[in-house]
């Protein structure tokens, strides 16, 4: 079958694009050398959040006595945790397979790694394929840092660490971004000793200080050792244990090492130079507001474009690009509000500007913050850790940014996100009746901390 559209990669944007374009009558070929569903389903969101849930169950059971409930000794069967994770991943992957099969004859999945051999011409499995439109959705993979000795020791990346069936006695984690934080707390709650070594001065370095500190306090209270402001410069095997040394001279020795220092795009052997597709200095595909690359008829979506690397962002890329290909719009990639949540416990949810960004950009703002423990519902649930913070524009009263650290903050964020999307004044929250007792009441109280919204 000749193709109208080639989609390279079955990630969070590639699958719905392939499916919908086929339904719209285009002849589509989707290339995928790995497992269908890409990072999110196989080695990203789905497996991590499934395992985070197991870790939380252990944590809640250990602390149940505070609520008057006795559960006895808590132990974690890591092999059962991994089996549960695999079963849920299989279930989601089967869903993707069914979706693609359901798209009919116009969509063909080719199980091969694609490489450009010319303009809009790719090669996979020894065969060549061309199409009028090519969409790149090749995603990213864990970055391997240049650290002396790393190629001489065994270490996990974010994928392989989720297949460990025997609990590491002491897991050292290189990297204090969201992936390092989620795994750090997860393995601590499974029962391992955990040390996180972070180059920056704080965990989650993109956040404002009090947000990072809130999560650092929780981690320390759970017995996670943090070595901050310390760049790892050397690792070495010592009698089966992994010695890790930082530029500051600090050292740690764990039984296992997890490297979680960011992700690089899967563009290095894609042959982009043969197709006239420009990459930036870090290898991300350069795209304009309409996901157009420098090559006519070639588009790129998802993590490989270097935008915020989240599943919901890749999915939103698909939504906009579909409309562009259907000639319903020209652009829309830029200027979107991209929310995020770190699935630590408490979660760290964010949308819009941090206070640091507002200051750097000279944007006028008013700010309010309050401890999460002042929300009645949080006290009742015994989930008091965290802090709520919001920035508003004094001229329009619109929300410029919000950072919520608290139990299920990722859910809570969406109340503020919808106000941001609709351009409504934060006053809307003051004037609305909010169910008592809910965590959302805390958002109303937070907004009322601003003088202009205070009832006094
Ligand atoms: C541990 C971890 C946890 C995460 N947790 C979250 C979370 O909680 N929430 C969230 O929003 N995001 C999370 N993410 C990020 C999220 O998984 C990604 O942002 C999302 O999957 C990006 O999707 P994508 O469509 O860009 O590409 P991907 O899902 O990465 O898919 C790209 C696909 O392209 C294929 N491919 C690569 N090269 C070629 C080639 N040459 N030819 C053909 N196919 C190719 C790959 O095999 C892959 O299947 C997490 C990521 C990790 C690693």
């Amino acid at each position: 079958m000749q193709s109208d559209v080639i989609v390279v990669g079955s990630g969070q944007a590639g699958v719905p694009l392939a499916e919908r374009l086929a339904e719209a009558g285009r002849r589509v070929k989707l290339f995928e050398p790995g497992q269908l569903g890409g990072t999110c389903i196989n080695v990203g969101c789905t497996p991590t959040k499934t395992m985070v849930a197991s870790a939380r169950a252990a944590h809640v059971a250990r602390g149940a006595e505070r609520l008057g409930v006795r559960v006895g000794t808590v132990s974690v069967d890591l092999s059962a945790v991994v089996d549960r994770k695999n079963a849920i991943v299989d279930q989601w992957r089967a869903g993707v397979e069914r979706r693609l099969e359901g798209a009919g004859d116009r969509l063909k999945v080719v199980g091969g790694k694609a490489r450009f051999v010319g303009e809009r011409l790719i090669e996979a499995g020894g065969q060549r394929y061309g199409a009028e439109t090519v969409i790149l959705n090749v995603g990213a993979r864990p970055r391997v840092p240049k650290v002396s000795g790393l190629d001489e020791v065994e270490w996990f990346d974010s994928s392989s660490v989720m297949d460990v069936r025997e609990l590491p006695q002491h897991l050292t984690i290189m990297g204090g971004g969201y992936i390092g934080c989620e795994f750090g707390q997860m393995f601590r709650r499974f029962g391992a000793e955990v040390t996180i070594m972070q180059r920056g001065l704080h965990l989650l370095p993109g956040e404002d200080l009090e947000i990072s500190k809130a999560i650092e306090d929780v981690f320390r209270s759970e017995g996670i050792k943090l070595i901050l402001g310390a760049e790892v410069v050397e690792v070495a095997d010592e009698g089966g244990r992994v010695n890790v040394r930082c530029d500051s001279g600090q050292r740690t020795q764990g039984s296992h090492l997890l490297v979680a220092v960011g992700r690089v795009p899967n563009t290095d052997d894609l042959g982009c130079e043969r197709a006239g597709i420009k990459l930036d200095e870090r290898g991300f595909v350069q795209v304009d507001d309409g996901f157009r690359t420098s090559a006519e008829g070639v588009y790129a979506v998802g993590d490989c474009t270097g935008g915020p690397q989240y599943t919901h962002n890749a999915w939103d890329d698909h939504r906009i690009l579909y409309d562009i290909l259907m000639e319903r719009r020209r652009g829309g990639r830029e200027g979107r509000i991209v929310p995020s949540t770190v699935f630590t416990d408490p979660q760290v949810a964010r949308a819009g500007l941090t206070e640091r960004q507002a200051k750097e950009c000279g944007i006028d703002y008013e700010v309010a913050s309050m401890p999460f423990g002042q929300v009645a519902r949080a006290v009742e649930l015994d989930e008091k850790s965290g802090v709520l913070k919001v920035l508003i524009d004094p001229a329009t009263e619109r929300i410029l940014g919000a950072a919520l650290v608290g139990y299920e903050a990722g859910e809570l964020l969406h109340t503020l996100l919808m106000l941001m999307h609709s351009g409504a004044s934060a006053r809307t929250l003051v004037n609305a009746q909010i169910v008592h007792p809910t965590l959302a009441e805390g958002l109303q109280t937070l907004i009322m901390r601003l003088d202009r919204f205070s009832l006094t």
Side-chain angles (χ1 to χ4, degrees):
M1 176 186 84
Q2 184 59 36
S3 314
D4 302 313
V5 182
I6 282 175
V7 179
V8 184
S10 70
Q12 295 307 304
V15 168
L17 272 168
E19 183 190 7
R20 292 182 66 201
L21 287 168
E23 278 164 8
R26 310 278 172 94
R27 294 164 303 170
V28 182
K29 280 208 179 66
L30 171 65
F31 291 83
E32 174 56 64
Q35 287 171 314
L36 289 173
T39 305
C40 173
I41 289 180
N42 295 294
V43 289
C45 329
T46 305
T48 48
K49 271 74 242 184
T50 304
M51 292 176 79
V52 162
S54 296
R56 179 169 157 79
H59 175 75
V60 170
R62 282 188 200 109
E65 206 155 331
R66 288 202 309 273
L67 283 79
V69 178
R70 286 209 194 96
V71 290
T73 310
V74 177
S75 67
V76 174
D77 177 350
L78 192 53
S79 195
V81 170
V82 172
D83 284 342
R84 172 176 180 268
K85 178 263 294 180
N86 287 345
I88 293 172
V89 168
D90 288 349
Q91 188 186 333
W92 289 130
R93 198 187 302 127
V96 173
E97 282 161 15
R98 270 198 307 277
R99 273 179 75 178
L100 291 171
E101 275 162 23
D105 296 343
R106 289 202 194 88
L107 171 57
K108 186 165 169 11
V109 178
V110 184
K113 183 165 179 165
R115 226 170 166 266
F116 282 100
V117 287
E119 281 177 26
R120 278 178 275 180
L121 186 65
I122 63 160
E123 195 174 82
Q127 281 199 53
R128 291 189 168 197
Y129 305 85
E132 193 185 328
T133 303
V134 178
I135 302 167
L136 298 178
N137 179 223
V138 292
R141 63 180 188 277
R143 185 169 84 81
V144 182
K146 287 193 177 73
V147 169
S148 166
L150 193 60
D151 46 2
E152 285 150 37
V153 299
E154 279 185 31
W155 51 274
F156 298 124
D157 64 17
S158 61
S159 305
S160 58
V161 77
M162 287 191 279
D163 290 326
V164 176
R165 286 176 181 269
E166 227 172 274
L167 188 68
Q169 177 259 328
H170 182 169
L171 183 65
T172 301
I173 301 179
M174 200 192 293
Y178 85 92
I179 293 180
C181 285
E182 288 184 11
F183 281 119
Q185 190 180 39
M186 177 200 298
F187 275 90
R188 179 66 190 142
R189 289 179 168 191
F190 287 157
E193 261 183 74
V194 170
T195 302
I196 300 179
M197 301 183 112
Q198 158 74 333
R199 183 172 61 171
L201 290 176
H202 292 281
L203 299 180
L204 308 177
E207 294 294 340
D208 286 333
L209 200 56
E210 69 264 49
I211 304 300
S212 295
K213 279 191 167 166
I215 213 69
E216 288 165 11
D217 288 347
V218 171
F219 276 22
R220 288 194 180 104
S221 75
E222 293 190 15
I224 298 171
K225 188 171 174 201
L226 304 179
I227 302 182
L228 304 175
E231 177 153 11
V232 173
V233 289
E234 188 181 14
V235 299
D237 181 290
E238 197 177 293
R241 294 182 69 81
V242 195
N243 267 341
V244 182
R245 186 172 65 82
C246 301
D247 55 354
S248 56
Q250 285 164 295
R251 291 167 188 270
T252 187
Q253 191 187 66
S255 59
H256 295 78
L257 174 67
L258 165 64
V259 178
V261 291
R263 296 176 59 78
V264 291
N266 292 321
T267 54
D268 33 357
D269 61 351
L270 199 55
C272 289
E273 65 290 349
R274 293 196 201 132
I277 301 163
K278 280 196 189 136
L279 306 178
D280 71 13
E281 67 286 353
R282 293 181 302 151
F284 290 103
V285 184
Q286 290 186 348
V287 288
D288 70 6
D289 186 46
F291 303 94
R292 296 171 198 90
T293 71
S294 52
E296 178 81 32
V298 182
Y299 302 81
V301 280
D303 285 5
C304 68
T305 60
Q309 297 186 354
Y310 301 115
T311 285
H312 43 273
N313 198 37
W315 192 87
D316 198 50
D317 286 358
H318 124 264
R319 181 182 68 82
I320 297 169
L321 179 56
Y322 180 82
D323 283 353
I324 290 170
L325 295 174
M326 290 292 132
E327 295 178 359
R328 294 178 190 159
R329 63 195 288 179
R330 292 270 315 150
R333 176 177 182 266
E334 279 146 30
R336 288 176 288 173
I337 303 168
V338 183
S340 65
T341 294
V342 182
F343 287 84
T344 45
D345 179 22
Q347 295 170 2
V348 182
R350 126 140 352 268
L353 295 176
T354 62
E355 190 172 2
R356 196 189 304 147
Q357 287 168 333
K359 275 192 184 130
E360 280 166 9
C361 300
I363 293 170
D364 209 12
Y365 66 88
E366 287 174 16
V367 62
S369 67
M370 66 179 258
F372 196 69
Q374 289 183 4
V375 183
R377 180 74 178 148
V379 176
E380 289 149 9
L381 289 167
D382 192 37
E383 297 286 355
K384 299 186 286 278
S385 305
V387 59
L388 304 175
K389 182 170 180 180
V390 68
L391 268 63
I392 68 144
D393 176 344
T396 63
E397 296 186 343
R398 287 181 181 177
I399 296 169
L400 294 171
L404 312 178
V405 185
Y407 177 64
E408 293 293 353
E411 304 294 335
L412 210 49
L413 178 72
H414 290 83
T415 301
L416 301 181
L417 189 64
M418 290 310 122
L419 290 181
M420 292 170 82
H421 266 281
S422 61
S425 160
R427 194 178 293 277
T428 313
L429 254 174
V430 181
N431 294 339
Q433 285 194 28
I434 311 279
V435 172
H436 173 76
T438 58
L439 296 172
E441 268 185 325
L443 299 179
Q444 191 179 49
T445 314
L446 174 70
I447 297 289
M448 285 162 67
R449 292 263 164 126
L450 292 162
D451 285 346
R452 65 173 64 230
F453 298 133
S454 150
L455 296 185
T456 54

